[in-house]
Every structure is written in C-alpha cells, then in structure tokens.
Amino acid sequence: MNEQAVETQALVKRYGTVTALDHVNLQAPAGRIYALLGPNGAGKTTLLSILTTLIPPTSGSARILGYDVVRDAAEVRRRIGVTFQEMVLDPLLTGRETLDFHGRLYRLPAAVRRQRIAELVELVQLTDAIDRPVKSYSGGMKRRLELARGLMTDPQVLVLDEPTQGLDPQNRVNIWSYVRDLNRRRGMSILLTTHAMDEAEALADLVGIIDHGRLIVEGKPGDLIASLGSDVIRVRGNGDFQHLVTVAAAIDGVSRVETDPADGLALIYTDNGSRRLPAVLNAISNNGFAVEDVTLARPSLGDVFLHYTGTALRD
Amino acid sequence: MYATYVIWTRHMRKFVQQTEELVGLALQSVLWVVLFGVGMRGMISDVGGSDYMSFILPGIIALSALGGAVGGGMVLLDERLRGIVKEYLAAPIPRLSILLGSAASTATKALFQATLMLIVGLLMGARLAINPVGWLGALVLLAIFAIGFSGLALGVAAISRSIAGYHGMIFLFNLPLLFASNALYPLSVLPGWMQAIVLINPATYLIDAVRALAFGVEATLPLWASGLVLAVFAAASMAFALSLFQRSLRA
C-alpha cells in the first residue's frame, strides 16, 4: 500500500485573476487523520474539490493513494468516500433509499448493500429513522446519514468537508467519536477540513494550516504547539501594540511577542507564565495600553495559527 | 450504461412518490386534450379528410413532451444548485450517464402522458388506426424526441445560474416550437418561407410520423427521413448537453 493517502505537488487553482490555491504541497500519510485548519475562504473546499475529482487543478498535481486525480480519476473515485460542506441529500428519499442508491451507483451487489446499510445505520444511530424521508431529519441526523453514505463503499480514504459545521455541541462530539473510531478500528485514512481549532485538536494526528490559498505549515499538533514555547500570556486590550511589543520583549524570560491589533490580541510567550505574569502586566499597563483581559495558558492550535499567519483564526 | 439506469430508477422512484407531480401531469394531459381539442373542433371540423381531434392529438402530445423536457432540465438544475449533483460527480460513473438518466426519465414521463392523452383523445372521438406496430413505432419516436429536447433543456440547465435564468432561456425556444410546426395546421397551408422554418423544427417530423403511424393519415414527409431526423436530433442535443455540462464543471 502507498504510504501517502493524499499528496499534492505545487497545486494551483485560479479562477480568473483570483488565486484560490497557491502552490499547495500537502502530505497526508495513510492510516492517519489529517485536519486542514483555516478560516472560511482559505481554499479548503477548493482543495477538497480537486482531491475528489470534482474540478481539475490549474497546474500542479494531486494523488490519492498514488492515483492522479486527473489521469486516474475513476480509480480515485472508487477508493474515496466524501461528505460535502453543504448537505447534499434528496429530501424525498428515505435514509435507506439514500444509502441504497449510493451503493448502486458504485455497483455494490444487493447483499453487500443490505449488510452495509444494517451496519452503518447502527454505527451512526439512525435505526429508528432510517425508513423515514430525509426531509423529516434534523441537521445532526442528516450529517450522520451523509457520513454513513460516505462509508457505504468502504472507502480507503474518507474526505470530510467541515463535518460538524452547523451542528450543536452534542452532535459534534458524536461525529468526532465516529471519525476517531473509523480511524482506530478500521485504519481508515481521513482528511477533513475545519475552521474550528477544537475540532482539529480533538481529532487530528496531523494538522495543515491553510490561509489565503497557501498551506503555511503542517505537522503534529503537539509539535506545532511545543515549538511556540512553554507558556503563553494572552492579553486582550487596546492601545499602542507596537510599543507593547518593544516593552514586553525586553522582559526577562519572554521569548517572543505576537500581536493581532485588529483583534485586540497580544500573545506573550515565556518560559514560565505564572512567574513572568506580574512583570509583564506591570510593564505593559504602564505604557498607554489598556488591558481588558489576561489569560495564562499552554499555547493552543489557535496560537499556532496566529504565529504562522499573523492574524487570529476567525470564523 | 448501468449508472444511467440507476439514476433513472431514482427519478422514477421520486416521480411515483410525489403524487402532486403525477396527478398534475395526468390532469394537464386531460385538460390539454379536452379544452384545446373541443375548442378547436368547434371551429374546424376536419383537416385533409381526418377529423380535427385526430389531427391535433399528435401535436398536443409532442408539445407536452416539450413541457416534460423543461421539467427534466429543472430537476438537473435543482440538483446542481443544491449540490446534489456532487454525489454523482464524485462517483465512478461517466458524466454522460448523469444526463442520460435525466433524459430517460423525461422520456418515460412523456410516454406516460402520451398514453393518457391518447386514451382521452379516443374517448373524445379521435380515430386511431388499427395498427399496433404503428402505435409502438409512434411511441418509440416520441421517446427519441423527448430525449432530444431533454438534451437542449439539460444543456441550458447545466449553465444556468438561477431558476429564473433557466426559464427565460427555455421560453426563447418553447414558443417558436409550438407555432413554427405542423402541430396546429397542416404543412400544405403554410407559405413557402414559413414551410422552410417549420422544416427545421424536429417537432414537425415527429408529428408527421405519429399522424402516419398511429392515425393512418398519409405522411407528408417520408417516414424514414422523420426517423433519421429525430435520431440525429437526439444525438446532437445530448452532445450539446454534455459539452455544456463539462464546461460548467471546468470552471
């Protein structure tokens, strides 16, 4: 089996003069959960559309399990399962018909379809609703049905575009546990996009941070976070950010200061947050900067995002 | 193509389930024949030896197939705008099978409507030729014709950005198809320039052939030519639909 589930080389997509993807080099190893983290409009859906053979790239190449998404599109389609960002379900069909129809499109024999439907309905807990028309489903049920549909063909690579967007916290956690299960129990390779840090933190073995069509950094979440330093003091407020940077950086034990003035946020990385906090607060609040809120924490993926993109991750 | 069959069954499943569409199509057929037929019959008693009801029935059937094709295009447009078509696009099936599935379900609905119209027409006094092979031939030609117009409608649906835009474009060729044909009046009464236009219209060939096959009227155009024109038309319009569909995917 190929080592990389998904691999792109200098992938570019342009719409007229707009560059949606700018030389993306992504590597998602087989058997892992890879999360593409980025704000809306960063190019995540465009990238997935190319990987799932819906649209061709402008230049560069992309492979799924070693198959080129343009030249070997049919091979790619046979091996992937997909859920799209928007709900793409036919409201008139029942859940069972939706799954059965999907299986028939992939030419699964009737016996296999029956068996898979029985298993998947159990997995996504739709047993009671499976024979009702989809239009009677709640948002969370529709998402679970879509997940089941993506799994009907027992794909080697599962591609999920914003799998929990618009879901309530309980349904989000449910979807997360299905995704984790699929990966752990069946060794399924999973590529998902999200604009929610907590989702990437909860699921991903590997994270790729994408912004303005560029894949800025990829790696294990723990490594990315550890590279920032041990503690971060997050300061919210307003005033002269440039001055704040100069003052704070001069304090003993402060390794780095990052700011996003538009968001009123400053991140001060230190060797020991609780020890340096008084000195930091003293220094910055005496210098024309009004502090509204201070939190002391270990760095998070959100801080990684700010570190690499220069802006905080917003919805 | 197996995928065409699968998509056809999905459309049929929805068609049978949606009682409004089913009843709507059935009532439409009956109303067309009753209102139009009765109204016109009051004015015109016969055309070239056959009664007006028999004369006009093939025309009404052809035109209702047009309406069906417009509806078939709407299904694709709706699936496109809602993103449902992505499920097909990510599946290992040829793009053409998606369009053929839609065209096949349109043709099936057209046949269903035509059968109803024929029955109502007969009850209203149309005289069918006793020629089962001819009836069958007429239905086959109708199906080919319906696929042809589905192709045009699907092509437009593939590039329309909105439902209003689609209807605007469709309307452009719907009206001329009705009046620039032999549906309402025989070819022979038309002036030469209009005959030339009418002979470009595929509906003319279908209507003429159906009159000859099912109603025993003498054909004004050779049957083989009508069949050929309809087959070429269906193939060309599906090619048109496929090229526009593929273009819409490259964007």
Side-chain angles (χ1 to χ4, degrees):
Chain A
M1 193 173 159
N2 197 287
E3 247 178 87
Q4 301 294 340
V6 181
E7 190 174 16
T8 73
Q9 269 159 2
L11 198 64
V12 174
K13 181 68 183 180
R14 285 197 196 90
Y15 293 104
T17 56
V18 180
T19 302
L21 290 178
D22 189 0
H23 294 86
V24 170
N25 296 302
L26 178 151
Q27 297 211 316
R32 299 291 171 82
I33 302 178
Y34 186 108
L36 262 178
L37 177 68
N40 289 332
K44 300 186 300 274
T45 298
T46 304
L47 179 51
L48 288 204
S49 297
I50 292 174
L51 294 177
T52 53
T53 77
L54 300 188
I55 56 172
T58 306
S59 67
S61 69
R63 274 174 233 283
I64 305 263
L65 299 166
Y67 293 101
D68 188 275
V69 295
V70 177
R71 268 200 321 276
D72 317 313
E75 298 295 327
V76 170
R77 290 176 191 151
R78 237 170 259 145
R79 288 170 173 79
I80 60 173
V82 191
T83 71
F84 303 102
Q85 186 169 358
E86 62 274 53
M87 306 261 181
V88 293
L89 290 166
D90 204 318
L92 294 170
L93 301 178
T94 67
R96 188 183 301 280
E97 284 168 344
T98 303
L99 298 181
D100 193 60
F101 171 77
H102 193 73
R104 289 174 59 209
L105 267 189
Y106 288 73
R107 293 180 170 239
L108 298 181
V112 175
R113 297 200 303 269
R114 241 191 327 271
Q115 195 205 338
R116 294 248 171 94
I117 290 173
E119 285 168 16
L120 290 170
V121 164
E122 188 104 349
L123 173 77
V124 299
Q125 295 172 294
L126 282 174
T127 316
D128 296 334
I130 195 66
D131 288 309
R132 293 211 313 256
V134 168
K135 62 184 170 196
S136 71
Y137 284 25
S138 69
M141 290 161 79
K142 284 183 185 163
R143 251 310 168 227
R144 271 142 55 201
L145 180 64
E146 288 195 319
L147 186 60
R149 181 175 65 188
L151 294 169
M152 263 305 276
T153 52
D154 196 19
Q156 288 169 261
V157 179
L158 185 63
V159 179
L160 308 171
D161 195 359
E162 297 276 0
T164 64
Q165 192 175 44
L167 295 188
D168 59 58
Q170 196 196 340
N171 272 307
R172 287 184 86 204
V173 173
N174 277 341
I175 298 271
W176 290 354
S177 81
Y178 302 144
V179 170
R180 238 177 275 145
D181 259 24
L182 290 166
N183 174 253
R184 304 249 163 91
R185 297 222 184 123
R186 307 194 195 184
M188 198 177 280
S189 310
I190 295 167
L191 174 68
L192 62 91
T193 70
T194 182
H195 64 272
M197 282 175 313
D198 60 342
E199 187 154 292
E201 270 168 5
L203 289 176
D205 299 315
L206 285 159
V207 174
I209 287 181
I210 186 167
D211 196 29
H212 299 300
R214 284 175 304 130
L215 187 70
I216 293 162
V217 64
E218 64 181 1
K220 291 179 185 161
D223 291 354
L224 292 176
I225 290 168
S227 72
L228 293 182
S230 52
D231 284 338
V232 61
I233 299 168
R234 287 198 200 101
V235 179
R236 285 197 177 275
N238 45 63
D240 186 348
F241 274 90
Q242 222 157 8
H243 190 66
L244 181 147
V245 173
T246 326
V247 173
I251 299 167
D252 210 22
V254 169
S255 55
R256 193 169 57 250
V257 182
E258 286 165 5
T259 62
D260 182 7
D263 214 31
L265 181 67
L267 303 180
I268 299 160
Y269 291 95
T270 75
D271 54 350
N272 185 331
S274 48
R275 229 182 103 201
R276 307 295 177 192
L277 185 59
V280 165
L281 277 183
N282 199 21
I284 62 174
S285 53
N286 280 341
N287 278 287
F289 187 88
V291 176
E292 285 168 6
D293 182 67
V294 178
T295 47
L296 179 61
R298 313 273 305 158
S300 71
L301 269 183
D303 302 326
V304 173
F305 191 85
L306 175 65
H307 174 68
Y308 284 104
T309 66
T311 52
L313 179 59
R314 296 179 204 90
D315 280 357
Chain B
M1 286 200 284
Y2 184 72
T4 299
Y5 166 70
V6 174
I7 291 171
W8 175 81
T9 59
R10 172 164 170 169
H11 288 161
M12 284 302 112
R13 175 86 192 82
K14 291 202 287 182
F15 177 56
V16 175
Q17 205 171 24
Q18 266 184 305
T19 12
E20 306 104 77
E21 192 188 354
L22 199 71
V23 171
L25 271 190
L27 279 181
Q28 248 181 51
S29 323
V30 173
L31 285 178
W32 256 106
V33 178
V34 171
L35 296 179
F36 205 75
V38 170
M40 294 301 261
R41 190 163 54 178
M43 272 185 347
I44 310 157
S45 56
D46 72 82
V47 181
S50 76
D51 64 295
Y52 196 65
M53 186 53 105
S54 306
F55 178 79
I56 204 168
L57 208 46
I60 299 179
I61 288 173
L63 294 170
S64 71
L66 281 188
V70 174
M74 266 302 296
V75 173
L76 178 73
L77 181 62
D78 180 59
E79 292 191 335
R80 249 189 72 227
L81 295 179
R82 283 212 264 172
I84 291 179
V85 79
K86 285 184 183 174
E87 183 190 351
Y88 305 145
L89 295 178
I93 59 171
R95 293 340 194 194
L96 181 60
S97 66
I98 302 168
L99 300 173
L100 283 178
S102 288
S105 59
T106 300
T108 311
K109 290 177 197 175
L111 290 180
F112 161 76
Q113 252 191 319
T115 311
L116 269 179
M117 287 178 154
L118 276 177
I119 293 170
V120 176
L122 288 177
L123 294 175
M124 302 274 306
R127 281 192 299 269
L128 216 53
I130 310 299
N131 177 11
V133 178
W135 302 346
L136 202 67
L139 290 179
V140 169
L141 289 181
L142 177 68
I144 295 173
F145 174 78
I147 289 172
F149 271 103
S150 295
L152 294 188
L154 291 170
V156 175
I159 52 166
S160 298
R161 291 204 179 82
S162 70
I163 290 169
Y166 171 74
H167 280 297
M169 297 241 288
I170 288 289
F171 191 71
L172 267 182
F173 58 82
N174 226 344
L175 208 59
L177 281 170
L178 170 59
F179 290 105
S181 80
N182 57 351
L184 308 176
Y185 18 76
L187 206 52
S188 54
V189 305
L190 297 173
W193 65 269
M194 180 119 171
Q195 276 195 20
I197 297 175
V198 167
L199 283 175
I200 303 173
N201 185 350
T204 301
Y205 296 87
L206 173 76
I207 293 167
D208 195 68
V210 171
R211 276 185 190 136
L213 287 168
F215 292 91
V217 178
E218 205 179 323
T220 45
L221 303 157
L223 265 182
W224 64 266
S226 297
L228 187 68
V229 167
L230 290 172
V232 168
F233 167 61
S237 78
M238 286 313 295
F240 164 81
L242 183 63
S243 90
L244 287 188
F245 190 50
Q246 278 175 333
R247 186 197 294 180
S248 78
L249 299 177
R250 271 197 294 275

